[in-house]
């Protein structure tokens, strides 16, 4: 659990650093909102492009070696940030991000089964929630460190001269060298640890059935597609939205989303299944998401809500409309850990195929934010564009209410 927990921290740190990179690269590379969101597209589309090839790699070299390979690919991706920063080339930045996403794909595919198999299936949701706490905790830290080390003393990103932009881009080099070294050291940790190799019994039955014959897992993958999409929209566009409203230190805004996700995960660990079932937690998450989206589009730039929630702590407050974007993190927290066990229940020998299908649903984080960026760019109204998230939460709500229970497509 400790070793896998370290890996989940890496997942969160690298993934949610994108929320800070988007407004940063928007200025450095002179991008509009739509172009800037190619950061999320390239990063998450790596899951779709490389998921199947990586599954064959895992079959050949095993789960433990695959995790080490994933870390090595991520280290190479981190080093690609050096020439990207030196040239301020958006194409090189995207190539580096694709490498990081590819490494994370094999790392996630190889490490997630350990969380399921390390104990009883009945408590899998709790273990996933604990990993979620670690993952999103890293998501809180990453934007804060980025802001502290890269943007200290900079002020507004919008007022930089060409020379200042070049100097600022060069400040990325040292942090990504450090990241590459840390990832390299984790390779040794995984390789020389006593982490057991996972072995699954091979089924000798000749009759085969397609994974697409199980509606609960197919619809579960679709629900995860929409979930990851709205999760990434919340975490990765809040900086752009703050920039749109003229806020300062926008690269740290992702931390607010991640904090509320951590809070949601903590409640999940405490309440599920003793006080609330997985189904009810998923229903509540979808309803909260819908409520908070209405808050985003109907609120003003008053700081009243954040004054009540955390203003007393001395932490910088936010306009109400931005606060509701941050609160989407709370609504999203329990969607991933509740959909997984609901979707995989009863799959038997098809569990591995179902897991692969669910991992591929992470592509929602590539496609939906890009659509968000395009609509926002064309309409010029970023605030109203958040309403597209209604589709995501309504699909999740339908899955929670009924679709996870159906056993054949005839029941749909």
């Amino acid at each position: 659990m400790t070793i896998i927990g370290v890996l989940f921290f890496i997942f969160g740190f690298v993934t949610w650093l994108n929320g800070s990179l988007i407004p940063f690269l928007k200025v450095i590379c002179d991008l509009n909102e739509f172009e800037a969101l190619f950061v999320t597209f390239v990063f998450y589309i790596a899951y779709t492009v490389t998921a199947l090839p990586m599954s064959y790699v895992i079959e050949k070299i095993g789960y433990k070696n695959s995790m080490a390979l994933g870390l090595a690919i991520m280290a190479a991706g981190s080093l690609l940030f050096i020439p990207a920063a030196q040239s301020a080339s958006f194409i090189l930045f995207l190539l580096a991000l694709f490498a990081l996403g590819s490494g994370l794909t094999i790392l996630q595919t190889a490490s997630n089964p350990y969380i399921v198999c390390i104990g009883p299936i009945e408590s899998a949701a709790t273990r996933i929630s604990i990993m979620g706490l670690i993952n999103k905790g890293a998501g809180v830290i990453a934007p804060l460190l980025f802001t502290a080390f890269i943007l200290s003393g900079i002020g507004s990103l919008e007022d930089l001269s060409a020379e200042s932009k070049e100097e600022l881009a060069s400040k990325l080099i040292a942090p990504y060298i450090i990241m590459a070294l840390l990832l390299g050291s984790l390779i040794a940790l995984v390789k020389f640890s006593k982490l057991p190799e996972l072995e699954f019994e091979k089924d000798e039955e000749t009759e085969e059935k397609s994974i697409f014959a199980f509606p609960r897992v197919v619809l579960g993958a679709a629900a995860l597609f929409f979930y990851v999409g709205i999760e990434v929209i919340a975490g990765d566009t809040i900086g752009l939205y703050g920039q749109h409203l003229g806020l300062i230190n926008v690269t740290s805004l992702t931390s607010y989303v991640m904090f509320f996700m951590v809070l949601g995960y903590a409640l999940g660990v405490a309440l599920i299944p003793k006080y609330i079932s997985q189904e009810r937690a998923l229903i509540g998450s979808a309803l909260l998401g819908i409520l908070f989206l209405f808050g985003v589009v109907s609120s003003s730039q008053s700081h009243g809500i954040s004054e009540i929630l955390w203003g007393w702590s001395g932490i910088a407050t936010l306009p109400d409309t931005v606060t509701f974007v941050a609160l989407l993190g709370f609504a999203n927290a329990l969607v991933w850990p509740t959909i997984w066990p609901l979707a995989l229940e009863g799959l038997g020998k098809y569990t591995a195929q179902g897991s692969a299908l669910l991992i591929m649903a992470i592509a929602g984080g590539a496609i939906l934010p890009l659509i968000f960026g395009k609509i926002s760019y064309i309409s010029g109204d970023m605030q109203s564009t958040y309403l597209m998230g209604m589709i995501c939460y309504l699909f999740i709500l339908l899955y929670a209410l009924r679709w996870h229970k159906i056993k054949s497509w005839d029941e749909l």
Side-chain angles (χ1 to χ4, degrees):
M1 280 287 282
T2 302
I3 293 169
I4 302 300
V6 170
L7 296 180
F8 268 77
F9 183 89
I10 295 298
F11 301 163
F13 192 93
V14 173
T15 300
W16 297 109
L17 198 57
N18 289 341
S20 297
L21 277 174
I22 289 170
F24 179 86
L25 294 181
K26 179 177 180 289
V27 172
I28 296 300
C29 301
D30 295 317
L31 311 172
N32 59 44
E33 282 84 357
F34 175 64
E35 292 168 337
L37 284 170
F38 267 91
V39 168
T40 59
F41 177 80
V42 167
F43 184 82
Y44 286 101
I45 205 66
Y47 282 92
T48 303
V49 173
T50 61
L52 284 178
M54 294 305 182
S55 68
Y56 294 124
V57 170
I58 292 171
E59 243 178 65
K60 292 292 183 183
I61 67 175
Y63 284 80
K64 187 174 176 179
N65 287 332
S66 295
M67 286 191 283
L69 176 61
L71 289 166
I73 295 172
M74 290 177 68
S78 298
L79 292 175
L80 278 174
F81 272 84
I82 298 173
Q86 288 174 334
S87 62
S89 168
F90 190 48
I91 297 298
L92 283 179
F93 277 119
L94 293 180
L95 182 61
L97 286 162
F98 185 85
L100 284 174
S102 299
L104 273 175
T105 302
I106 190 169
L107 204 56
Q108 289 247 39
T109 306
S111 62
N112 273 290
Y114 278 96
I115 301 303
V116 176
C117 299
I118 204 169
I121 191 68
E122 295 79 13
S123 58
T126 301
R127 294 192 296 277
I128 294 171
S129 293
I130 292 171
M131 292 300 110
L133 275 170
I134 296 170
N135 182 278
K136 296 319 186 278
V140 174
I141 295 169
L144 295 176
L145 287 179
F146 184 91
T147 302
F149 287 104
I150 305 297
L151 300 179
S152 57
I154 295 298
S156 174
L157 286 174
E158 304 296 332
D159 302 326
L160 298 178
S161 64
E163 294 77 13
S164 298
K165 289 180 183 180
E166 186 178 331
E167 181 183 347
L168 186 59
S170 67
K171 293 178 73 173
L172 281 176
I173 295 173
Y176 277 94
I177 289 176
I178 294 171
M179 186 184 292
L181 292 173
L182 288 174
L183 290 167
S185 65
L186 285 174
I187 296 172
L189 172 68
V190 170
K191 284 289 290 180
F192 297 108
S193 70
K194 294 183 179 180
L195 199 66
E197 182 59 56
L198 289 181
E199 294 182 5
F200 299 99
E201 293 183 8
K202 294 185 178 179
D203 202 303
E204 296 180 358
E205 293 182 18
T206 56
E207 184 182 353
E208 293 296 330
K209 190 176 183 180
S210 169
I211 190 63
F212 295 100
F214 299 93
R216 69 188 309 156
V217 70
V218 175
L219 293 172
L224 281 181
F225 176 90
F226 285 113
Y227 155 69
V228 177
I230 189 60
E231 179 193 38
V232 175
I233 286 172
D236 283 3
T237 69
I238 189 171
L240 282 178
Y241 189 36
Q243 199 172 40
H244 181 73
L245 296 176
L247 304 183
I248 61 172
N249 292 329
V250 293
T251 55
S252 66
L253 292 181
T254 299
S255 292
Y256 290 87
V257 183
M258 294 301 102
F259 171 79
F260 282 113
M261 289 201 80
V262 168
L263 183 60
Y265 273 117
L267 283 175
V269 171
L271 299 179
I272 301 173
K274 188 174 182 181
Y275 300 104
I276 185 173
S277 67
Q278 292 174 153
E279 293 94 332
R280 289 187 180 277
L282 190 56
I283 291 169
S285 296
L287 292 175
L288 279 176
I290 292 170
L291 178 66
F292 293 152
L293 282 178
F294 277 122
V296 173
V297 299
S298 62
S299 296
S300 66
Q301 293 199 45
S302 163
H303 289 230
I305 295 175
S306 57
E307 286 282 1
I308 294 170
L309 291 178
W310 69 80
W312 47 268
S313 68
I315 298 173
T317 58
L318 301 174
D320 290 347
T321 180
V322 181
T323 298
F324 276 113
V325 177
L327 284 168
L328 289 174
F330 184 80
N332 292 335
L334 296 181
V335 178
W336 180 274
T338 52
I339 286 181
W340 271 76
L342 291 176
L344 295 182
E345 185 180 354
L347 284 186
K349 67 176 183 177
Y350 298 101
T351 298
Q353 292 179 43
S355 298
L357 195 62
L358 295 179
I359 284 289
M360 291 183 72
I362 291 174
I367 296 169
L368 296 185
L370 204 61
I371 295 173
F372 176 94
K374 190 64 174 179
I375 295 173
S376 175
Y377 178 64
I378 292 173
S379 68
D381 185 0
M382 194 170 188
Q383 186 173 11
S384 297
T385 307
Y386 280 100
L387 279 176
M388 70 170 279
M390 289 292 180
I391 299 171
C392 304
Y393 288 120
L394 286 172
F395 194 99
I396 292 167
L397 181 61
L398 288 170
Y399 184 78
L401 289 171
R402 184 171 183 274
W403 289 346
H404 76 277
K405 299 174 185 177
I406 64 176
K407 297 181 179 179
S408 72
W409 290 108
D410 295 334
E411 299 175 34
L412 189 62

